């Protein structure tokens, strides 16, 4: 067994990357995603890079099964079991308005209606001390209702279980005894052992809502691969940017919610390391969506909590901003104006140029009409596009808006570019980050086609296009570590802090993290643990996560002064000010175990055929430019725009005035005139 394989299952295409440990060769391909049975698209893509799954030594993939279930509201039917008197915690949620001046703002509709929330008697106090024992009969009543009414999952969220989980553990045992394996039972302290009841309840409900779909999918993939001879565990990408094996992912399915898009971020981390750059903006434009994430100081931008479709979730998660803008985004007229997305033509029927019955103009059709795509060599020649159908779809929309078809086509691309630039501003400018100080790493099937135009909108002078950009998210998964995140609530004002006690708690978390990595099959020499603490000024509500040198640092002399200074520095960076003289308090201990695998080589061109060239008419800014179309294989030296660079998984557009070159790692570096 010598092949390491990664796969990213997108809304339009399934991408696969295969790395040969013996030769260092990297191959990539893709196949249309098959929504009816995703495994069909998986094996079709795999068959294009290798013949025998039994030769795979490591397999990882990203899935959006849980996210799709949430977005489409097709998740499980969930019964929520709450503490007596706290039935409405989930429905009341928070009183703050995310969009202050939106007169039509409505809170997201809860995933569990109030009629499906039951109460369990018993109570703990805020220190985890038992005030009243758990009413086991109320738990059995919930189990009877779940069985009688056909619920798919039961989510248990009892007050202060993050301090003392005894009541939840007992409730979980009763529910599993009564319901067996047919109904998923989720305990909130296992999902998020953190304070704030509503956010913890929301996290537990999300796991229950998406869990059955994810578990069925992962079990099916494991079974199908086993039948075809795969002899190693199936690994899955987590939302945190780390890996776990499928058996753990089936126990904690919420961790896979952003599994697919996060692979591109980890690829961006690897690309930044190879390029010798600390900061990068990663943009992944596929057929359906556009994802933005950041690499800051050589690490993925990860938060301890997030909001997904308006539902808060407490778990480490790469900060991703996603909008409905991709190659398949449909252009349409509304109130006499041009709109693009978020609705997508998807994989079937797809854009009009796919020749599968689609008739509405999409971003891909606009690019075909402008000459920015080689119809005869799309996706490395796997598809031949119907340029006439693309032109007809664009012309039909142009007639409705009384525009010239080519003017309309450029307008479609301009609207899409503006939407994508604004998505980047949401993650950068609105958080005090200057995008001009970052390189733009562009990937996805359509990302390199639009990257230079997006960079111009933002004043970014450098665009990096990796090899196999259409499958870059899959390659990024091969660069990720196995990861396990652990937390321990630790509420302490600074005047009662016991550094020795904090250190002992961190050492215990480190031991637990190392054991978890051992259970994941990570060799001892490849395990490491990092520690951090959530801090705030006294009187504040929200916290910042401050890294620690190691588990023993809190026990060392001068720790309080050092960590308070670090907190002040982080507060200034995040909010623009700090109050160094104010007392601080500690809220949460965090330990993260990492298990590393050997790194793959950059997916550069190896011994490839010489480039082939042609010339075609391409429209830029309303003018026709005679533009060379070049195969990326064998590309060398500097390339002045305009030019179109085609390869197996994507097309890169180099507009007039831009200069591109290939570096030693095979990255296409484009200097953009801003």
């Amino acid at each position: 067994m010598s092949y390491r394989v990664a796969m990213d299952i997108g809304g339009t295409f399934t991408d696969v990357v295969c790395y040969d440990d013996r030769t260092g060769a990297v191959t990539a391909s893709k196949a249309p995603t098959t929504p009816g049975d995703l495994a069909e698209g998986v094996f079709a893509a795999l068959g294009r890079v290798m013949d025998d799954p039994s030769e795979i030594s490591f397999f990882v993939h990203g899935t959006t099964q849980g996210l799709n279930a949430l977005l489409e509201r097709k998740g499980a039917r969930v019964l929520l079991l709450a503490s007596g008197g706290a039935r409405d915690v989930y429905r009341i949620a928070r009183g703050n308005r995310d969009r202050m001046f939106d007169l039509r703002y409505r809170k997201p509709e809860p995933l569990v209606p109030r009629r499906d929330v039951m109460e369990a008697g018993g109570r703990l106090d805020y220190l985890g001390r038992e005030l009243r024992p758990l009413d086991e009969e109320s738990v059995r009543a919930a189990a009877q209702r779940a069985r009688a009414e056909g619920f798919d999952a039961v989510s248990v969220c009892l007050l202060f279980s993050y301090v003392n989980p005894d009541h939840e553990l007992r409730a979980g045992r009763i529910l599993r005894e009564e319901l067996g394996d047919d109904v998923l039972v989720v305990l909130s302290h296992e999902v998020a052992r953190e304070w704030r009841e509503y956010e913890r309840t929301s996290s537990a409900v999300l796991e229950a809502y998406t869990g059955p779909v994810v578990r069925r999918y992962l079990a099916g993939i494991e079974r199908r691969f086993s039948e075809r001879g795969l002899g190693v565990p199936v690994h899955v990408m987590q939302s945190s940017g780390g890996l776990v094996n499928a058996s753990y992912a089936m126990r904690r399915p919420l961790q896979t919610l952003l599994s697919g898009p996060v692979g591109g971020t980890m690829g961006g981390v690897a690309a930044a390391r190879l390029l010798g750059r600390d900061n990068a903006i990663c943009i992944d434009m596929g057929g359906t969506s556009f994802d933005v994430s950041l690499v800051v100081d050589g690490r993925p931008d990860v938060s301890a909590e997030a909001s997904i479709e308006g539902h808060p979730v407490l778990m480490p998660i790469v900060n991703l901003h996603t909008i409905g803008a991709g190659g398949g985004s449909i252009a349409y007229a509304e109130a006499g104006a041009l709109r693009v997305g978020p609705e997508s033509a998807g994989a079937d029927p797809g854009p009009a140029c796919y020749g599968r019955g689609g008739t509405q103009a999409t971003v891909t059709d606009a690019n075909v009409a402008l000459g920015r795509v080689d119809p005869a060599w799309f996706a490395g020649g796997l598809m031949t596009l119907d340029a006439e159908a693309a032109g007809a779809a664009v012309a039909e929309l142009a007639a409705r808006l009384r525009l010239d078809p080519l003017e309309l086509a450029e307008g479609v691309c301009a609207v899409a570019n503006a939407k994508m630039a604004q998505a980047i501003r949401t993650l950068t400018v609105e958080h005090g980050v200057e995008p001009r100080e970052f390189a733009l790493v562009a990937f996805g099937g359509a990302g390199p086609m639009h990257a230079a135009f997006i960079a111009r909108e933002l004043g970014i002078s450098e665009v990096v296009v990796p090899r196999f950009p259409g499958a870059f998210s899959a390659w990024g998964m091969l660069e990720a570590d196995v990861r396990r995140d652990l937390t321990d609530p630790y509420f302490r004002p600074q005047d009662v802090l016991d550094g020795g006690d904090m250190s002992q708690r961190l050492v215990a978390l480190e031991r637990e993290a190392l054991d978890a990595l051992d259970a994941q099959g990570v060799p001892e020499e490849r395990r490491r643990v990092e520690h951090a603490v959530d801090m705030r000024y006294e009187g504040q509500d929200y916290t910042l996560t401050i890294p620690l040198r190691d588990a023993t640092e809190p026990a060392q002399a001068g720790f309080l002064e050092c960590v308070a200074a670090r907190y002040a520095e982080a507060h200034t960076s995040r909010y623009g000010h700090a109050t160094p003289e104010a007392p601080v308090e500690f809220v949460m201990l965090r330990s993260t175990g990492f298990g590393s695998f050997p790194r793959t080589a950059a997916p550069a061109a190896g011994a490839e055929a010489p480039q082939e060239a042609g010339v075609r008419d391409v429209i830029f800014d309303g003018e026709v430019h005679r533009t060379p179309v070049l195969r990326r294989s064998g590309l060398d030296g500097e390339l002045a725009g305009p030019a179109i660079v085609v390869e197996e998984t994507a097309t890169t557009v180099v507009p007039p005035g831009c200069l591109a070159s290939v570096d030693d790692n095979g990255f296409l570096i484009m200097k953009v005139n801003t």
Side-chain angles (χ1 to χ4, degrees):
M1 298 188 294
S2 61
Y3 294 102
R4 300 179 63 200
V5 175
M7 193 169 292
D8 177 27
I9 305 170
T12 305
F13 283 102
T14 294
D15 304 315
V16 62
V17 168
C18 179
Y19 177 77
D20 189 336
D21 281 324
R22 296 167 299 184
T23 64
V26 180
T27 54
S29 189
K30 58 174 56 192
T33 296
T34 50
D37 182 1
L38 291 176
E40 289 185 17
V42 165
F43 289 116
L46 186 63
R48 290 173 176 168
V49 296
M50 65 180 309
D51 298 323
D52 186 1
S54 67
E55 297 182 1
I56 297 175
S57 61
F58 177 82
F59 177 76
V60 58
H61 84 303
T63 173
T64 55
Q65 285 292 289
L67 182 61
N68 291 343
L70 174 61
L71 295 176
E72 298 171 8
R73 291 298 188 271
K74 293 181 179 178
R77 187 182 178 200
V78 179
L79 180 69
L80 174 59
L81 186 61
S83 291
R87 178 186 182 190
D88 291 318
V89 163
Y90 183 55
R91 177 157 289 273
I92 293 172
R94 296 294 177 187
N96 56 303
R97 291 170 61 109
D98 291 335
R99 299 189 296 275
M100 186 66 69
F101 302 106
D102 184 354
L103 298 179
R104 295 181 176 84
Y105 173 76
R106 295 290 183 273
K107 282 194 274 189
E109 188 66 25
L111 299 174
V112 178
R114 189 175 187 271
R115 64 178 178 274
D116 292 339
V117 182
M118 297 183 66
E119 295 185 359
R123 181 59 62 90
L124 305 175
D125 70 7
Y126 73 101
L127 294 175
R129 297 174 300 201
E130 185 175 82
L131 301 178
R132 294 193 303 275
L134 178 69
D135 180 0
E136 296 188 2
E137 288 307 310
S138 63
V139 179
R140 296 187 191 280
Q144 291 170 6
R145 182 182 171 192
R147 182 172 53 248
E149 298 185 20
F151 284 89
D152 303 300
V154 179
S155 179
V156 183
C157 191
L158 305 182
L159 291 174
F160 307 113
S161 61
Y162 63 92
V163 182
N164 178 0
D166 287 350
H167 280 191
E168 277 197 357
L169 289 170
R170 179 56 186 154
R173 284 194 293 270
I174 293 172
L175 290 168
R176 289 176 178 125
E177 288 170 4
E178 296 281 341
L179 298 171
D181 296 331
D182 295 333
V183 177
L184 175 64
V185 176
V186 174
L187 307 181
S188 72
H189 77 276
E190 294 179 343
V191 178
R193 193 180 176 188
E194 301 194 28
W195 66 301
R196 301 208 298 271
E197 296 300 325
Y198 166 59
E199 285 77 4
R200 183 160 46 84
T201 302
S202 174
S203 301
V205 168
L206 271 170
E207 174 147 305
Y209 187 77
T210 61
V213 173
V214 174
R215 294 209 307 177
R216 284 195 299 270
Y217 166 73
L218 291 176
I221 284 289
E222 276 203 314
R223 184 184 67 256
R224 298 278 287 272
F225 266 101
S226 177
E227 291 170 354
R228 296 193 178 214
L230 183 72
V232 295
V234 173
H235 285 80
V236 185
M237 196 78 192
Q238 298 182 95
S239 302
S240 62
L243 307 178
V244 290
N245 60 36
S247 60
Y248 176 81
M250 282 188 274
R251 294 196 303 273
R252 295 273 72 84
L254 184 65
Q255 302 288 340
T256 70
L257 203 60
L258 297 179
S259 173
V262 166
T265 307
M266 301 314 297
V269 171
R273 183 183 70 247
L274 292 168
L275 291 164
R277 290 163 175 77
D278 292 330
N279 301 320
I281 298 171
C282 303
I283 62 169
D284 181 0
M285 182 181 179
T288 306
S289 63
F290 176 79
D291 303 313
V292 186
S293 57
L294 301 180
V295 177
V296 181
D297 295 329
R299 301 170 69 95
D301 181 26
V302 177
S303 292
E305 60 184 283
S307 178
I308 301 175
E309 289 292 290
H311 301 284
V313 55
L314 296 175
M315 69 175 179
I317 189 167
V318 171
N319 284 321
L320 274 167
H321 185 59
T322 302
I323 63 171
S329 293
I330 295 172
Y332 59 98
E334 183 179 75
L338 175 65
R339 301 282 188 266
V340 179
E343 185 181 354
S344 172
D348 188 12
C353 61
Y354 281 15
R356 296 176 182 160
T359 58
Q360 294 176 282
T362 66
V363 174
T364 297
D365 293 315
N367 279 300
V368 171
L370 294 170
R372 297 176 184 177
V373 177
D374 183 359
W377 213 72
F378 186 72
L382 294 176
M383 293 179 65
T384 300
L385 301 184
D386 187 341
E388 289 187 6
V394 169
E396 192 274 334
L397 180 59
R400 274 190 280 154
L401 291 168
R402 298 180 181 179
L403 292 172
D404 176 80
L406 294 180
E407 183 183 8
L408 184 280
E410 281 208 285
V412 169
C413 292
V415 170
N417 292 336
K419 289 180 66 174
M420 291 184 282
Q422 183 55 42
I424 294 173
R425 292 189 187 97
T426 300
L427 207 60
T428 56
V429 175
E430 294 182 14
H431 290 84
V433 175
E434 175 52 70
R436 287 177 293 187
E437 297 175 359
F438 286 61
L440 190 69
V441 180
F443 49 95
M449 197 180 303
H450 291 259
F453 304 97
I454 296 170
R456 280 177 176 169
E457 290 237 6
L458 298 167
I460 297 173
S461 60
E462 185 178 69
V463 171
V464 178
V465 181
R467 186 80 171 106
F468 304 130
F472 187 68
S473 290
W475 179 71
M477 295 175 194
L478 293 179
E479 291 293 309
D481 295 328
V482 171
R483 175 170 174 153
R484 287 293 301 273
D485 292 275
L486 302 171
T487 59
D488 187 2
Y490 197 80
F491 295 90
R492 301 288 191 281
Q494 68 175 44
D495 55 354
V496 299
L497 177 67
D498 182 343
D501 177 68
M502 180 186 282
S503 180
Q504 289 178 7
R505 301 275 283 268
L506 288 169
V507 168
L509 286 176
E510 179 168 326
R511 192 159 45 242
E512 186 178 349
L514 292 173
D515 289 343
L517 294 176
D518 181 47
Q520 293 277 314
V522 179
E524 184 176 359
E525 66 275 10
R526 293 180 181 165
R527 305 173 202 158
R528 74 182 193 281
V529 181
E530 296 181 359
H531 304 279
V533 59
D534 286 0
M535 297 177 61
R536 63 187 180 189
Y537 288 126
E538 285 188 5
Q540 284 185 322
D541 186 17
Y542 288 92
T543 62
L544 293 176
T545 301
I546 307 303
L548 302 176
R549 287 196 300 271
D550 55 40
T552 65
E553 184 185 1
Q556 298 171 9
F559 166 71
L560 182 59
E561 292 76 12
C562 287
V563 77
R566 271 182 242 161
Y567 177 74
E569 182 180 349
H571 200 280
T572 300
S573 176
R574 179 68 180 270
Y575 300 111
H577 66 91
T579 313
E581 67 278 6
V584 297
E585 57 187 9
F586 303 87
V587 177
M588 183 77 63
L589 304 181
R590 299 185 183 277
S591 297
T592 303
F594 295 94
S596 63
F597 291 103
R599 300 299 183 194
T600 61
E608 302 182 55
Q611 68 180 37
E612 299 177 20
V615 178
R616 61 186 299 113
D617 289 339
V618 182
I619 309 299
F620 294 101
D621 297 323
E623 297 183 3
V624 178
H625 293 258
R626 292 294 289 168
T627 302
V629 180
L630 308 171
R631 298 282 175 88
R632 182 161 177 175
S633 54
L635 197 64
D636 196 10
E638 290 188 339
L639 175 66
I644 307 296
V645 180
V646 297
E647 56 183 302
E648 295 89 337
T649 62
T651 297
T652 301
V653 175
V654 184
C658 296
L659 190 67
S661 60
V662 179
D663 75 354
D664 293 339
N665 290 306
F667 294 115
L668 186 65
I669 312 293
M670 195 187 318
K671 300 298 182 182
V672 179
N673 55 339
T674 59

